[in-house]
Protein backbone atom coordinates (compact mmCIF):
# COMPACT_ATOMS: atom_id res chain seq x y z
CA UNK A 1 0.00 0.00 0.00
CA UNK A 2 1.43 3.40 -0.97
CA UNK A 3 2.21 6.14 1.51
CA UNK A 4 0.59 9.55 1.63
CA UNK A 5 3.77 10.99 0.07
CA UNK A 6 3.53 8.48 -2.78
CA UNK A 7 -0.07 9.55 -3.31
CA UNK A 8 0.87 13.23 -3.46
CA UNK A 9 3.70 12.49 -5.85
CA UNK A 10 1.34 10.59 -8.13
CA UNK A 11 -1.08 13.50 -8.10
CA UNK A 12 1.69 15.93 -9.06
CA UNK A 13 2.82 13.59 -11.84
CA UNK A 14 -0.71 13.51 -13.26
CA UNK A 15 -1.02 17.29 -13.07
CA UNK A 16 2.35 17.78 -14.77
CA UNK A 17 1.46 15.26 -17.47
CA UNK A 18 -1.77 17.13 -18.13
CA UNK A 19 0.10 20.43 -18.31
CA UNK A 20 2.52 18.97 -20.85
CA UNK A 21 -0.21 17.49 -23.02
CA UNK A 22 -2.45 20.56 -22.79
CA UNK A 23 0.50 22.73 -23.85
CA UNK A 24 1.35 20.51 -26.79
CA UNK A 25 -2.09 19.68 -28.13
CA UNK A 26 -4.72 21.84 -26.45
CA UNK A 27 -7.11 20.67 -23.78
CA UNK A 28 -9.89 19.64 -26.16
CA UNK A 29 -7.66 17.11 -27.92
CA UNK A 30 -6.34 15.45 -24.75
CA UNK A 31 -8.09 12.57 -23.01
CA UNK A 32 -7.89 11.45 -19.41
CA UNK A 33 -6.46 8.14 -20.63
CA UNK A 34 -3.62 9.93 -22.43
CA UNK A 35 -2.80 11.86 -19.27
CA UNK A 36 -2.78 8.64 -17.26
CA UNK A 37 -0.46 6.95 -19.76
CA UNK A 38 2.04 9.81 -19.70
CA UNK A 39 1.95 9.97 -15.89
CA UNK A 40 2.37 6.21 -15.60
CA UNK A 41 -0.78 5.68 -13.57
CA UNK A 42 -4.20 4.14 -14.16
CA UNK A 43 -7.11 6.20 -15.51
CA UNK A 44 -8.96 5.32 -12.31
CA UNK A 45 -6.27 7.09 -10.27
CA UNK A 46 -6.63 10.23 -12.39
CA UNK A 47 -10.37 10.19 -11.69
CA UNK A 48 -9.67 9.55 -8.00
CA UNK A 49 -7.49 12.64 -7.70
CA UNK A 50 -9.28 15.07 -10.01
CA UNK A 51 -12.78 13.71 -10.56
CA UNK A 52 -13.04 14.85 -14.17
CA UNK A 53 -11.17 16.58 -16.93
CA UNK A 54 -12.55 19.89 -15.66
CA UNK A 55 -11.00 19.16 -12.27
CA UNK A 56 -7.72 18.29 -13.92
CA UNK A 57 -7.78 21.52 -15.89
CA UNK A 58 -8.49 23.48 -12.70
CA UNK A 59 -5.44 21.91 -11.06
CA UNK A 60 -3.24 22.83 -14.03
CA UNK A 61 -4.46 26.44 -14.01
CA UNK A 62 -3.89 26.69 -10.26
CA UNK A 63 -0.37 25.33 -10.70
CA UNK A 64 0.39 27.99 -13.33
CA UNK A 65 -1.18 30.68 -11.13
CA UNK A 66 1.01 29.64 -8.19
CA UNK A 67 4.10 29.68 -10.42
CA UNK A 68 3.35 33.22 -11.58
CA UNK A 69 2.51 34.40 -8.05
CA UNK A 70 5.90 33.19 -6.85
CA UNK A 71 7.55 35.10 -9.68
CA UNK A 72 5.64 38.22 -8.65
CA UNK A 73 6.71 37.74 -5.03
CA UNK A 74 10.33 37.76 -6.16
CA UNK A 75 9.72 40.77 -8.41
CA UNK A 76 8.15 42.75 -5.56
CA UNK A 77 11.56 43.06 -3.86
CA UNK A 78 12.84 46.61 -4.35
CA UNK A 79 16.33 45.11 -4.49
CA UNK A 80 15.40 43.82 -7.92
CA UNK A 81 14.56 47.37 -8.95
CA UNK A 82 17.98 48.46 -7.73
CA UNK A 83 19.56 45.80 -9.93
CA UNK A 84 17.53 47.10 -12.86
CA UNK A 85 18.73 50.64 -12.20
CA UNK A 86 22.34 49.51 -12.05
CA UNK A 87 21.96 47.27 -15.13
CA UNK A 88 22.95 44.31 -12.95
CA UNK A 89 21.21 41.52 -14.79
CA UNK A 90 22.99 38.54 -13.25
CA UNK A 91 20.55 38.10 -10.35
CA UNK A 92 17.56 38.81 -12.58
CA UNK A 93 18.77 36.33 -15.16
CA UNK A 94 19.29 33.69 -12.51
CA UNK A 95 15.77 34.29 -11.21
CA UNK A 96 14.26 33.94 -14.66
CA UNK A 97 16.24 30.83 -15.52
CA UNK A 98 15.30 29.24 -12.21
CA UNK A 99 11.65 30.10 -12.78
CA UNK A 100 11.75 28.78 -16.35
CA UNK A 101 13.55 25.43 -16.31
CA UNK A 102 14.66 24.01 -19.63
CA UNK A 103 11.78 22.38 -21.47
CA UNK A 104 9.10 23.66 -19.08
CA UNK A 105 5.61 23.37 -20.62
CA UNK A 106 4.37 26.40 -18.66
CA UNK A 107 5.17 28.93 -21.38
CA UNK A 108 3.69 26.89 -24.27
CA UNK A 109 0.61 26.32 -22.12
CA UNK A 110 0.25 30.03 -21.39
CA UNK A 111 0.78 30.84 -25.05
CA UNK A 112 -2.01 28.52 -26.09
CA UNK A 113 -4.32 29.68 -23.29
CA UNK A 114 -3.88 33.37 -24.06
CA UNK A 115 -4.30 32.94 -27.79
CA UNK A 116 -7.58 31.04 -27.50
CA UNK A 117 -9.39 33.89 -25.77
CA UNK A 118 -10.27 31.57 -22.88
CA UNK A 119 -11.99 33.46 -20.01
CA UNK A 120 -9.51 31.80 -17.63
CA UNK A 121 -6.70 33.56 -19.49
CA UNK A 122 -8.42 36.91 -19.00
CA UNK A 123 -8.86 36.16 -15.30
CA UNK A 124 -5.18 35.29 -14.91
CA UNK A 125 -4.12 38.38 -16.84
CA UNK A 126 -6.36 40.55 -14.67
CA UNK A 127 -4.74 39.15 -11.51
CA UNK A 128 -1.23 39.62 -12.89
CA UNK A 129 -2.02 43.17 -13.98
CA UNK A 130 -3.23 44.02 -10.49
CA UNK A 131 0.00 42.67 -9.01
CA UNK A 132 2.08 44.58 -11.55
CA UNK A 133 0.33 47.86 -10.72
CA UNK A 134 0.98 47.22 -7.02
CA UNK A 135 4.67 46.60 -7.71
CA UNK A 136 4.95 49.69 -9.90
CA UNK A 137 3.43 51.84 -7.16
CA UNK A 138 5.66 50.31 -4.49
CA UNK A 139 8.76 50.84 -6.62
CA UNK A 140 7.65 54.40 -7.38
CA UNK A 141 7.23 55.12 -3.66
CA UNK A 142 10.75 53.77 -3.09
CA UNK A 143 12.12 55.97 -5.87
CA UNK A 144 13.08 52.97 -8.00
CA UNK A 145 10.65 53.42 -10.90
CA UNK A 146 8.41 56.10 -12.37
CA UNK A 147 4.85 54.78 -12.32
CA UNK A 148 3.63 57.86 -14.16
CA UNK A 149 0.18 59.47 -14.05
CA UNK A 150 -1.51 56.30 -15.37
CA UNK A 151 0.17 53.29 -13.72
CA UNK A 152 -2.60 50.94 -14.85
CA UNK A 153 -1.89 51.59 -18.52
CA UNK A 154 1.87 51.74 -18.01
CA UNK A 155 1.75 48.36 -16.27
CA UNK A 156 -0.30 46.93 -19.14
CA UNK A 157 2.26 48.18 -21.66
CA UNK A 158 5.12 46.68 -19.67
CA UNK A 159 3.25 43.39 -19.36
CA UNK A 160 2.62 43.35 -23.11
CA UNK A 161 6.35 43.60 -23.65
CA UNK A 162 7.31 41.06 -20.99
CA UNK A 163 4.64 38.52 -21.90
CA UNK A 164 5.53 39.01 -25.55
CA UNK A 165 9.08 37.99 -24.74
CA UNK A 166 7.89 34.85 -22.96
CA UNK A 167 5.29 33.86 -25.52
CA UNK A 168 7.35 34.68 -28.62
CA UNK A 169 10.73 33.49 -27.35
CA UNK A 170 10.83 30.47 -29.69
CA UNK A 171 10.07 32.66 -32.68
CA UNK A 172 12.61 35.34 -31.70
CA UNK A 173 15.24 32.64 -31.31
CA UNK A 174 14.67 31.59 -34.91
CA UNK A 175 14.59 35.18 -36.19
CA UNK A 176 17.38 36.71 -34.10
CA UNK A 177 19.55 33.65 -33.69
CA UNK A 178 19.59 33.73 -29.88
CA UNK A 179 17.27 32.73 -27.03
CA UNK A 180 16.06 35.91 -25.25
CA UNK A 181 15.39 33.95 -22.05
CA UNK A 182 18.70 32.13 -21.52
CA UNK A 183 22.41 32.66 -21.20
CA UNK A 184 24.10 35.21 -23.42
CA UNK A 185 20.83 35.73 -25.28
CA UNK A 186 19.14 36.89 -22.09
CA UNK A 187 21.99 39.33 -21.42
CA UNK A 188 21.74 40.72 -24.96
CA UNK A 189 17.96 41.07 -24.74
CA UNK A 190 18.19 42.65 -21.29
CA UNK A 191 20.81 45.16 -22.42
CA UNK A 192 18.49 46.49 -25.08
CA UNK A 193 15.52 46.31 -22.70
CA UNK A 194 17.39 48.68 -20.38
CA UNK A 195 17.49 51.26 -23.15
CA UNK A 196 13.83 50.63 -23.91
CA UNK A 197 12.76 51.02 -20.28
CA UNK A 198 15.10 53.90 -19.56
CA UNK A 199 12.22 56.36 -19.47
CA UNK A 200 10.71 54.79 -16.35
CA UNK A 201 13.90 53.72 -14.53
CA UNK A 202 15.55 56.57 -12.64
CA UNK A 203 19.37 56.56 -12.76
CA UNK A 204 20.97 55.15 -9.59
CA UNK A 205 21.54 57.59 -6.72
CA UNK A 206 19.49 60.38 -8.28
CA UNK A 207 16.05 61.76 -7.71
CA UNK A 208 13.41 60.09 -9.83
CA UNK A 209 12.23 63.43 -11.30
CA UNK A 210 15.57 63.80 -13.09
CA UNK A 211 14.93 60.75 -15.26
CA UNK A 212 13.58 60.90 -18.78
CA UNK A 213 9.82 60.76 -18.68
CA UNK A 214 9.54 61.87 -15.07
CA UNK A 215 6.33 63.60 -14.15
CA UNK A 216 6.52 67.38 -13.68
CA UNK A 217 6.21 68.61 -10.08
CA UNK A 218 2.71 69.31 -8.86
CA UNK A 219 1.79 72.89 -7.92
CA UNK A 220 2.08 71.92 -4.25
CA UNK A 221 5.58 70.51 -4.80
CA UNK A 222 6.65 73.50 -6.89
CA UNK A 223 5.63 75.88 -4.13
Amino acid sequence: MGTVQDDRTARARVRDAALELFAAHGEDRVTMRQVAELAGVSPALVVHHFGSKAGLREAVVEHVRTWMDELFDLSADTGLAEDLQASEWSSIGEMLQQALPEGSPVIPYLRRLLMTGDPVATQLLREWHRRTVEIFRAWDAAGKLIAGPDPQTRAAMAMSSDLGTLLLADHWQQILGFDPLRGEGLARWADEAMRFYGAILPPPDTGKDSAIGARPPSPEEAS
Side-chain angles (χ1 to χ4, degrees):
M1 182 176 179
T3 65
V4 172
Q5 185 61 42
D6 291 336
D7 192 51
R8 289 176 178 172
T9 301
R11 189 180 195 281
R13 288 205 315 272
V14 172
R15 180 205 62 210
D16 291 347
L19 172 60
E20 182 177 342
L21 290 172
F22 289 173
H25 307 293
E27 297 169 13
D28 293 342
R29 298 179 59 187
V30 175
T31 67
M32 298 278 275
R33 182 173 295 278
Q34 289 172 323
V35 172
E37 289 176 356
L38 184 60
V41 301
S42 68
L45 187 61
V46 177
V47 174
H48 167 72
H49 281 301
F50 301 99
S52 65
K53 189 174 175 181
L56 186 56
R57 179 180 192 263
E58 184 178 343
V60 168
V61 171
E62 184 59 32
H63 178 62
V64 172
R65 179 185 283 111
T66 299
W67 169 81
M68 200 70 177
D69 285 345
E70 291 173 353
L71 198 57
F72 271 113
D73 289 341
L74 291 172
S75 301
D77 185 357
T78 55
L80 183 66
E82 293 171 0
D83 287 344
L84 283 168
Q85 286 180 295
S87 299
E88 292 291 339
W89 279 92
S90 58
S91 61
I92 300 168
E94 290 172 3
M95 181 190 77
L96 287 174
Q97 292 189 21
Q98 182 177 358
L100 294 169
E102 191 74 32
S104 170
V106 169
I107 297 306
Y109 176 75
L110 276 177
R111 181 187 300 126
R112 186 180 290 275
L113 191 66
L114 288 167
M115 292 302 102
T116 60
D118 192 307
V120 170
T122 304
Q123 179 187 356
L124 290 173
L125 199 61
R126 181 177 289 111
E127 293 174 10
W128 297 339
H129 177 256
R130 177 184 57 79
R131 292 290 304 273
T132 301
V133 172
E134 290 175 355
I135 290 172
F136 271 31
R137 284 175 168 158
W139 283 11
D140 184 276
K144 305 302 180 183
L145 178 142
I146 301 167
D150 187 357
Q152 287 85 1
T153 301
R154 181 162 291 187
M157 295 176 69
M159 288 177 65
S160 294
S161 176
D162 294 340
L163 283 173
T165 303
L166 294 176
L167 301 180
L168 297 175
D170 292 345
H171 298 286
W172 290 134
Q173 184 171 6
Q174 295 179 52
I175 294 169
L176 299 174
F178 64 87
D179 186 343
L181 296 177
R182 302 194 182 281
E184 294 180 1
L186 173 61
R188 181 175 172 182
W189 186 274
D191 187 54
E192 189 58 33
M194 285 303 301
R195 300 185 184 97
F196 183 79
Y197 284 122
I200 62 173
L201 289 173
D205 301 321
T206 67
K208 63 182 178 180
D209 287 343
S210 65
I212 300 173
R215 61 172 175 81
S218 65
E220 292 79 8
E221 293 170 331
S223 61

